[in-house]
mmCIF file of all heavy atoms in Angstrom:
data_model
loop_
_atom_site.group_PDB
_atom_site.id
_atom_site.type_symbol
_atom_site.label_atom_id
_atom_site.label_comp_id
_atom_site.label_asym_id
_atom_site.label_seq_id
_atom_site.Cartn_x
_atom_site.Cartn_y
_atom_site.Cartn_z
ATOM 1 N N PRO A 43 -5.243 22.030 5.533
ATOM 2 C CA PRO A 43 -5.829 22.457 4.114
ATOM 3 C C PRO A 43 -5.263 23.701 3.682
ATOM 4 O O PRO A 43 -5.101 24.693 4.414
ATOM 5 C CB PRO A 43 -7.335 22.392 4.392
ATOM 6 C CG PRO A 43 -7.534 22.594 5.779
ATOM 7 C CD PRO A 43 -6.494 21.963 6.543
ATOM 8 N N VAL A 44 -4.899 23.707 2.374
ATOM 9 C CA VAL A 44 -4.225 24.895 1.794
ATOM 10 C C VAL A 44 -5.280 26.140 1.909
ATOM 11 O O VAL A 44 -4.771 27.401 2.131
ATOM 12 C CB VAL A 44 -3.749 24.690 0.346
ATOM 13 C CG1 VAL A 44 -3.231 25.889 -0.184
ATOM 14 C CG2 VAL A 44 -2.829 23.366 0.386
ATOM 15 N N SER A 45 -6.451 25.848 1.891
ATOM 16 C CA SER A 45 -7.406 26.959 1.813
ATOM 17 C C SER A 45 -7.722 27.509 3.112
ATOM 18 O O SER A 45 -8.289 28.645 3.258
ATOM 19 C CB SER A 45 -8.902 26.547 1.238
ATOM 20 O OG SER A 45 -9.353 25.549 2.033
ATOM 21 N N GLY A 46 -7.220 26.932 4.179
ATOM 22 C CA GLY A 46 -7.413 27.271 5.493
ATOM 23 C C GLY A 46 -8.682 26.756 6.127
ATOM 24 O O GLY A 46 -9.050 27.100 7.411
ATOM 25 N N TYR A 47 -9.687 26.251 5.300
ATOM 26 C CA TYR A 47 -10.913 25.713 5.825
ATOM 27 C C TYR A 47 -10.928 24.139 5.606
ATOM 28 O O TYR A 47 -10.432 23.527 4.700
ATOM 29 C CB TYR A 47 -12.092 26.296 4.778
ATOM 30 C CG TYR A 47 -12.203 27.780 4.960
ATOM 31 C CD1 TYR A 47 -11.617 28.683 4.040
ATOM 32 C CD2 TYR A 47 -12.891 28.392 6.065
ATOM 33 C CE1 TYR A 47 -11.675 29.973 4.116
ATOM 34 C CE2 TYR A 47 -12.980 29.651 6.099
ATOM 35 C CZ TYR A 47 -12.364 30.501 5.210
ATOM 36 O OH TYR A 47 -12.547 31.885 5.203
ATOM 37 N N PRO A 48 -11.458 23.539 6.728
ATOM 38 C CA PRO A 48 -11.394 21.970 6.635
ATOM 39 C C PRO A 48 -12.280 21.521 5.498
ATOM 40 O O PRO A 48 -13.309 22.022 5.165
ATOM 41 C CB PRO A 48 -11.879 21.625 8.042
ATOM 42 C CG PRO A 48 -12.795 22.805 8.512
ATOM 43 C CD PRO A 48 -12.187 23.992 7.778
ATOM 44 N N TRP A 49 -11.960 20.277 5.088
ATOM 45 C CA TRP A 49 -12.811 19.589 4.017
ATOM 46 C C TRP A 49 -13.974 18.966 4.733
ATOM 47 O O TRP A 49 -14.051 18.662 5.901
ATOM 48 C CB TRP A 49 -11.964 18.418 3.442
ATOM 49 C CG TRP A 49 -10.834 18.870 2.481
ATOM 50 C CD1 TRP A 49 -9.834 19.686 2.787
ATOM 51 C CD2 TRP A 49 -10.768 18.583 1.188
ATOM 52 N NE1 TRP A 49 -9.148 19.966 1.825
ATOM 53 C CE2 TRP A 49 -9.447 19.225 0.742
ATOM 54 C CE3 TRP A 49 -11.399 17.789 0.308
ATOM 55 C CZ2 TRP A 49 -9.112 19.091 -0.602
ATOM 56 C CZ3 TRP A 49 -10.900 17.603 -1.017
ATOM 57 C CH2 TRP A 49 -9.802 18.353 -1.373
ATOM 58 N N GLN A 50 -15.188 19.053 4.026
ATOM 59 C CA GLN A 50 -16.557 18.651 4.594
ATOM 60 C C GLN A 50 -16.843 17.252 4.266
ATOM 61 O O GLN A 50 -16.762 16.867 3.085
ATOM 62 C CB GLN A 50 -17.685 19.572 4.087
ATOM 63 C CG GLN A 50 -17.351 21.009 4.557
ATOM 64 C CD GLN A 50 -17.237 21.367 6.027
ATOM 65 O OE1 GLN A 50 -18.106 20.706 6.765
ATOM 66 N NE2 GLN A 50 -16.338 22.173 6.381
ATOM 67 N N ASP A 51 -17.004 16.447 5.338
ATOM 68 C CA ASP A 51 -17.398 15.041 5.043
ATOM 69 C C ASP A 51 -18.700 14.801 4.357
ATOM 70 O O ASP A 51 -18.863 13.828 3.717
ATOM 71 C CB ASP A 51 -17.443 14.279 6.386
ATOM 72 C CG ASP A 51 -16.034 14.156 7.069
ATOM 73 O OD1 ASP A 51 -15.098 14.227 6.340
ATOM 74 O OD2 ASP A 51 -15.957 13.990 8.232
ATOM 75 N N ASP A 52 -19.579 15.703 4.522
ATOM 76 C CA ASP A 52 -21.050 15.596 3.958
ATOM 77 C C ASP A 52 -21.049 16.319 2.605
ATOM 78 O O ASP A 52 -22.106 16.423 2.065
ATOM 79 C CB ASP A 52 -22.003 16.052 4.871
ATOM 80 C CG ASP A 52 -21.692 17.550 5.277
ATOM 81 O OD1 ASP A 52 -20.708 18.000 5.053
ATOM 82 O OD2 ASP A 52 -22.571 18.160 6.051
ATOM 83 N N ASP A 53 -19.949 16.840 2.142
ATOM 84 C CA ASP A 53 -20.042 17.561 0.727
ATOM 85 C C ASP A 53 -19.504 16.534 -0.344
ATOM 86 O O ASP A 53 -18.255 16.185 -0.182
ATOM 87 C CB ASP A 53 -19.122 18.738 0.811
ATOM 88 C CG ASP A 53 -19.317 19.598 -0.472
ATOM 89 O OD1 ASP A 53 -19.964 19.081 -1.432
ATOM 90 O OD2 ASP A 53 -18.807 20.806 -0.358
ATOM 91 N N ILE A 54 -20.319 16.093 -1.126
ATOM 92 C CA ILE A 54 -19.969 15.227 -2.218
ATOM 93 C C ILE A 54 -18.872 15.778 -3.227
ATOM 94 O O ILE A 54 -18.072 14.966 -3.797
ATOM 95 C CB ILE A 54 -21.233 14.841 -3.112
ATOM 96 C CG1 ILE A 54 -20.830 13.594 -3.987
ATOM 97 C CG2 ILE A 54 -21.732 15.919 -3.857
ATOM 98 C CD1 ILE A 54 -20.452 12.340 -3.149
ATOM 99 N N SER A 55 -18.813 17.057 -3.446
ATOM 100 C CA SER A 55 -17.721 17.709 -4.166
ATOM 101 C C SER A 55 -16.449 17.511 -3.626
ATOM 102 O O SER A 55 -15.450 17.255 -4.329
ATOM 103 C CB SER A 55 -18.057 19.091 -4.410
ATOM 104 O OG SER A 55 -19.243 19.399 -5.014
ATOM 105 N N ASP A 56 -16.257 17.657 -2.254
ATOM 106 C CA ASP A 56 -14.972 17.405 -1.656
ATOM 107 C C ASP A 56 -14.600 15.804 -1.819
ATOM 108 O O ASP A 56 -13.420 15.523 -2.048
ATOM 109 C CB ASP A 56 -15.129 17.626 -0.115
ATOM 110 C CG ASP A 56 -15.177 19.244 0.209
ATOM 111 O OD1 ASP A 56 -15.155 19.961 -0.950
ATOM 112 O OD2 ASP A 56 -15.216 19.621 1.278
ATOM 113 N N ILE A 57 -15.504 14.980 -1.701
ATOM 114 C CA ILE A 57 -15.139 13.376 -1.866
ATOM 115 C C ILE A 57 -14.653 13.238 -3.268
ATOM 116 O O ILE A 57 -13.831 12.469 -3.496
ATOM 117 C CB ILE A 57 -16.405 12.681 -1.434
ATOM 118 C CG1 ILE A 57 -16.814 12.983 -0.024
ATOM 119 C CG2 ILE A 57 -15.999 11.150 -1.614
ATOM 120 C CD1 ILE A 57 -15.873 12.702 0.928
ATOM 121 N N MET A 58 -15.398 13.832 -4.217
ATOM 122 C CA MET A 58 -15.054 13.501 -5.552
ATOM 123 C C MET A 58 -13.698 14.225 -5.996
ATOM 124 O O MET A 58 -13.024 13.546 -6.665
ATOM 125 C CB MET A 58 -16.203 14.109 -6.608
ATOM 126 C CG MET A 58 -17.532 13.405 -6.406
ATOM 127 S SD MET A 58 -18.703 14.209 -7.498
ATOM 128 C CE MET A 58 -18.142 13.975 -9.094
ATOM 129 N N PHE A 59 -13.340 15.360 -5.471
ATOM 130 C CA PHE A 59 -12.181 15.968 -5.853
ATOM 131 C C PHE A 59 -10.987 15.325 -5.182
ATOM 132 O O PHE A 59 -9.822 15.428 -5.685
ATOM 133 C CB PHE A 59 -12.139 17.499 -5.429
ATOM 134 C CG PHE A 59 -12.493 18.436 -6.502
ATOM 135 C CD1 PHE A 59 -13.706 18.825 -6.642
ATOM 136 C CD2 PHE A 59 -11.392 18.804 -7.413
ATOM 137 C CE1 PHE A 59 -14.022 19.686 -7.626
ATOM 138 C CE2 PHE A 59 -11.796 19.608 -8.496
ATOM 139 C CZ PHE A 59 -13.014 20.151 -8.501
ATOM 140 N N ILE A 60 -11.206 14.563 -4.068
ATOM 141 C CA ILE A 60 -9.991 13.607 -3.574
ATOM 142 C C ILE A 60 -9.544 12.690 -4.578
ATOM 143 O O ILE A 60 -8.318 12.497 -4.818
ATOM 144 C CB ILE A 60 -10.528 13.042 -2.360
ATOM 145 C CG1 ILE A 60 -10.685 13.993 -1.136
ATOM 146 C CG2 ILE A 60 -9.556 12.022 -1.860
ATOM 147 C CD1 ILE A 60 -11.168 13.387 0.116
ATOM 148 N N THR A 61 -10.640 11.959 -5.341
ATOM 149 C CA THR A 61 -10.100 11.239 -6.280
ATOM 150 C C THR A 61 -9.467 11.851 -7.493
ATOM 151 O O THR A 61 -8.550 11.366 -8.089
ATOM 152 C CB THR A 61 -11.339 10.470 -6.819
ATOM 153 O OG1 THR A 61 -11.923 9.769 -5.801
ATOM 154 C CG2 THR A 61 -10.924 9.302 -7.777
ATOM 155 N N THR A 62 -9.929 13.092 -7.900
ATOM 156 C CA THR A 62 -9.412 13.878 -8.887
ATOM 157 C C THR A 62 -7.823 14.216 -8.544
ATOM 158 O O THR A 62 -6.988 13.992 -9.401
ATOM 159 C CB THR A 62 -10.149 15.124 -9.221
ATOM 160 O OG1 THR A 62 -11.386 14.854 -9.362
ATOM 161 C CG2 THR A 62 -9.563 16.008 -10.271
ATOM 162 N N PHE A 63 -7.709 14.582 -7.273
ATOM 163 C CA PHE A 63 -6.344 14.972 -6.851
ATOM 164 C C PHE A 63 -5.424 13.640 -7.028
ATOM 165 O O PHE A 63 -4.088 13.772 -7.316
ATOM 166 C CB PHE A 63 -6.250 15.428 -5.372
ATOM 167 C CG PHE A 63 -6.846 16.821 -5.295
ATOM 168 C CD1 PHE A 63 -7.172 17.275 -4.085
ATOM 169 C CD2 PHE A 63 -6.850 17.697 -6.432
ATOM 170 C CE1 PHE A 63 -7.734 18.640 -3.877
ATOM 171 C CE2 PHE A 63 -7.316 18.881 -6.319
ATOM 172 C CZ PHE A 63 -7.808 19.501 -5.110
ATOM 173 N N PHE A 64 -5.978 12.516 -6.602
ATOM 174 C CA PHE A 64 -5.296 11.304 -6.686
ATOM 175 C C PHE A 64 -4.804 10.924 -8.077
ATOM 176 O O PHE A 64 -3.611 10.661 -8.399
ATOM 177 C CB PHE A 64 -5.983 10.001 -6.239
ATOM 178 C CG PHE A 64 -5.364 8.848 -6.124
ATOM 179 C CD1 PHE A 64 -4.410 8.447 -5.004
ATOM 180 C CD2 PHE A 64 -5.629 7.792 -7.117
ATOM 181 C CE1 PHE A 64 -3.781 7.315 -5.098
ATOM 182 C CE2 PHE A 64 -4.822 6.656 -7.135
ATOM 183 C CZ PHE A 64 -3.987 6.279 -6.107
ATOM 184 N N CYS A 65 -5.601 11.193 -9.081
ATOM 185 C CA CYS A 65 -5.337 11.009 -10.499
ATOM 186 C C CYS A 65 -4.309 12.023 -10.887
ATOM 187 O O CYS A 65 -3.357 11.717 -11.733
ATOM 188 C CB CYS A 65 -6.603 11.213 -11.384
ATOM 189 S SG CYS A 65 -7.931 9.937 -10.997
ATOM 190 N N TRP A 66 -4.325 13.258 -10.404
ATOM 191 C CA TRP A 66 -3.190 14.181 -10.638
ATOM 192 C C TRP A 66 -1.879 13.636 -10.118
ATOM 193 O O TRP A 66 -0.888 13.977 -10.810
ATOM 194 C CB TRP A 66 -3.592 15.488 -10.011
ATOM 195 C CG TRP A 66 -4.731 16.218 -10.830
ATOM 196 C CD1 TRP A 66 -5.455 15.946 -11.841
ATOM 197 C CD2 TRP A 66 -5.375 17.506 -10.371
ATOM 198 N NE1 TRP A 66 -6.428 16.747 -12.230
ATOM 199 C CE2 TRP A 66 -6.457 17.663 -11.245
ATOM 200 C CE3 TRP A 66 -5.136 18.356 -9.385
ATOM 201 C CZ2 TRP A 66 -7.204 18.789 -11.163
ATOM 202 C CZ3 TRP A 66 -5.930 19.509 -9.162
ATOM 203 C CH2 TRP A 66 -6.932 19.738 -10.084
ATOM 204 N N HIS A 67 -1.860 13.075 -9.007
ATOM 205 C CA HIS A 67 -0.622 12.438 -8.514
ATOM 206 C C HIS A 67 -0.149 11.349 -9.366
ATOM 207 O O HIS A 67 1.203 11.280 -9.627
ATOM 208 C CB HIS A 67 -0.878 11.994 -7.059
ATOM 209 C CG HIS A 67 -0.871 12.945 -5.963
ATOM 210 N ND1 HIS A 67 0.292 13.156 -5.246
ATOM 211 C CD2 HIS A 67 -1.789 13.915 -5.598
ATOM 212 C CE1 HIS A 67 0.113 14.132 -4.405
ATOM 213 N NE2 HIS A 67 -1.089 14.610 -4.545
#
């Protein structure tokens, strides 16, 4: 991860931003 901190499986914000990153792609 670019931030140096692992993504959290139990954080809904991380899950939602994955889809956002996909749309950016």
Side-chain angles (χ1 to χ4, degrees):
V44 179
S45 64
Y47 297 95
W49 291 57
Q50 301 299 320
D51 292 334
D52 55 353
D53 191 345
I54 191 62
S55 298
D56 287 0
I57 304 298
M58 293 176 64
F59 261 99
I60 289 176
T61 306
T62 303
F63 287 161
F64 182 82
C65 295
W66 290 356
H67 277 259

